[in-house]
Amino acid sequence: MIVARTMINNKSSANILFKSSLERMGLGTKDLETCERLIYRFTESGMAPAGLIKLPLKVRIAPKSVTIMALFVVLDIVSPYNALIGRPALYDLKAVTSIFHLLVQFPTKGGIGCLKGNQMVARECYNLSITTREKVAKSLKATTKLEEVPLDPKQPSRLVKIGKELSKDIRSALIQFLRENQDVFAWSHKDMEGISPTVISHTLNIDVENFKPVQQKRRLLDKERAKALKEKVEKLWNNNFIKEAYYPVWVLNPILVPKSNGTWRISMHPPDQEHTSFRTDVGLYFYKVMTFGLKNAGATYQRLVNRMFKEQIGRNMEVYVDDMLVKSKKA
C-alpha cells in the first residue's frame, strides 16, 4: 500500500503509525502487540499507544528502492499525516535528511536514492495540524481517567487529580486523606519555604584566574518581551528569590523562555550569588536561589531529592529529578 503524507522526523525516538491508516491497510487492534510505555509530545501529558506492529517499509524512487522491517507505535489520534518516520527507521535505512531542501537520501544496491518532499503538501499538513489540535485536546480530555477534586470548599480553584476508576471506599478515603494533609501542597511560590543552605546549596565552579568576566551590554527587547520580563522580575522580587545587584562582575541578558515551574527552591552559595546577575530595563539583579538555567543545576537538585528520600528510593519510591513515583502493592 502506498502511504502518502508521511512525515520524516529525525527528532522522534519512535516510528508512528496512526490508527486510521492501520485500518485502511485492512489491519486492526487484533494485529497489535501490547505497548506499556507512554508517548509524549503529541499531548500535554503522555498518552498510551494502541499497540505495536512490525511492517515492511519500502522506500522507493524508481528505479532505486530499499526495504526494511520497521516497528511502528500505533496511536489512536487525529493527525493530518498517515505515518511518521522517526530515528529508528532512518537509522536502519542509513538515511540522511535535509530540512532546508525537504530531501532524504538513502543508499540502495543501485546507488543513492533521493526522496523530495512537497512544500505545498507540507504547508497543508501544518495548517491542518493547527486546526485539529484543539479538537484532539478536547477528545483526550473527555476520555481521561482522572478527575479533579477540590481540597478546600472555600477555595475551589485548589484542585488535585485522582483516578476515576477507584472504588467508592478507596476514593472516599483518599479524598479525606488529601484534605487532612492539604498543608503539604504549595499553591504558589510563597508557600514554598525553601531548603536550608545547611542542607544543600548550589555553587558555581568559576575559574576567575584564567577567564575574563563577561559583562554584556543591555539588549533591547520588543514590547511583548519587555512586559513579560518586568512581570517575571516583579514575581521573583515579591517571592524573595532575587536581590538587587550594584557592582556585579558577571552580567548577562536574560533569555526569555515561556515555562511554568513549581519545584523546591535551593539556595545559591552566597559568594556565587552575584555571578548570576542579569540586566533589565529597571536595574540589575542576581538570584538568591538556584535557577534551572545554570549548568549542573539538575545534578544539584537530584542530589537533594536523593538525600531527602534515601530511605524510600528503591523500596516504595523512585525519583528522577522532579519526576517522583510512589508505589505500593495495596491501595
Side-chain angles (χ1 to χ4, degrees):
M1 176 178 174
I2 297 176
V3 180
R5 289 193 172 185
T6 298
M7 181 181 184
I8 305 295
N9 188 347
N10 54 16
K11 292 184 179 180
S12 176
S13 61
N15 306 312
I16 305 295
L17 183 66
F18 297 100
K19 190 178 178 182
S20 57
S21 305
L22 183 77
E23 292 170 348
R24 288 199 297 272
M25 294 178 183
L27 301 172
T29 53
K30 66 180 186 305
D31 302 298
L32 302 180
E33 300 176 18
T34 57
C35 179
E36 296 181 355
R37 67 171 177 165
L38 296 178
I39 298 295
Y40 294 87
R41 301 296 184 190
F42 286 90
T43 61
E44 292 181 0
S45 58
M47 65 176 301
L52 301 172
I53 189 168
K54 265 194 174 183
L55 295 171
L57 173 64
K58 185 175 184 179
V59 183
R60 176 172 63 89
I61 182 75
K64 300 166 183 176
S65 69
V66 63
T67 302
I68 63 170
M69 289 300 296
L71 180 65
F72 287 90
V73 178
V74 179
L75 297 183
D76 188 5
I77 187 173
V78 178
S79 173
Y81 297 99
N82 292 307
L84 185 152
I85 304 300
R87 288 199 305 268
L90 293 174
Y91 178 85
D92 291 339
L93 289 168
K94 301 180 177 63
V96 177
T97 62
S98 172
I99 298 174
F100 181 80
H101 297 95
L102 282 180
L103 188 71
V104 178
Q105 290 187 324
F106 53 94
T108 71
K109 292 181 179 180
I112 300 298
C114 296
L115 285 179
K116 189 167 180 60
N118 185 301
Q119 183 67 49
M120 292 184 64
V121 174
R123 176 56 58 180
E124 183 182 349
C125 288
Y126 174 77
N127 292 334
L128 281 171
S129 68
I130 297 299
T131 57
T132 58
R133 187 175 299 167
E134 187 175 343
K135 295 179 181 178
V136 172
K138 287 182 179 179
S139 66
L140 288 172
K141 188 174 183 180
T143 58
T144 183
K145 295 182 180 180
L146 296 175
E147 66 169 308
E148 293 183 330
V149 175
L151 293 189
D152 188 347
K154 297 180 181 179
Q155 302 186 69
S157 61
R158 296 186 174 183
L159 304 170
V160 294
K161 294 180 180 180
I162 65 173
K164 283 184 177 179
E165 298 180 348
L166 298 174
S167 68
K168 186 177 180 180
D169 292 340
I170 292 177
R171 179 183 181 277
S172 177
L174 176 59
I175 294 174
Q176 180 66 26
F177 174 78
L178 292 172
R179 286 175 175 169
E180 290 175 355
N181 294 278
Q182 60 178 287
D183 60 305
V184 305
F185 291 91
W187 302 103
S188 68
H189 290 290
K190 290 183 179 180
D191 295 334
M192 296 186 288
E193 297 181 0
I195 304 299
S196 170
T198 59
V199 176
I200 195 169
S201 64
H202 187 71
T203 60
L204 300 178
N205 187 19
I206 299 176
D207 190 349
V208 294
E209 296 182 358
N210 297 315
F211 291 92
K212 183 180 179 180
V214 175
Q215 292 190 351
Q216 291 183 348
K217 294 182 179 180
R218 185 168 70 89
R219 184 185 300 130
L220 296 178
L221 300 174
D222 59 55
K223 187 176 180 180
E224 184 179 356
R225 284 183 170 83
K227 181 182 177 181
L229 178 60
K230 182 180 179 182
E231 292 174 353
K232 180 66 175 178
V233 169
E234 288 178 353
K235 186 176 181 180
L236 292 169
W237 179 269
N238 292 334
N239 288 292
N240 200 31
F241 291 161
I242 61 174
K243 190 175 181 180
E244 191 169 4
Y246 295 100
Y247 306 105
V249 178
W250 298 76
V251 184
L252 299 177
N253 286 290
I255 299 175
L256 301 181
V257 179
K259 186 178 181 181
S260 59
N261 201 311
T263 51
W264 287 312
R265 293 299 171 180
I266 298 174
S267 297
M268 283 295 302
H269 187 50
D272 289 330
Q273 290 180 357
E274 285 209 358
H275 293 148
T276 67
S277 297
F278 59 93
R279 292 186 186 277
T280 72
D281 293 341
V282 293
L284 295 169
Y285 300 92
F286 62 81
Y287 279 93
K288 297 171 61 179
V289 297
M290 183 186 74
T291 168
F292 271 83
L294 297 172
K295 189 173 184 180
N296 294 331
T300 298
Y301 190 91
Q302 185 71 63
R303 286 198 299 273
L304 169 66
V305 293
N306 286 349
R307 183 178 300 177
M308 292 178 65
F309 301 114
K310 65 180 181 180
E311 301 298 331
Q312 282 76 39
I313 292 176
R315 182 172 65 88
N316 62 352
M317 189 172 187
E318 302 299 338
V319 176
Y320 178 71
V321 193
D322 59 349
D323 288 327
M324 304 178 190
L325 172 70
V326 178
K327 54 191 179 181
S328 173
K329 292 181 179 180
K330 298 181 180 179

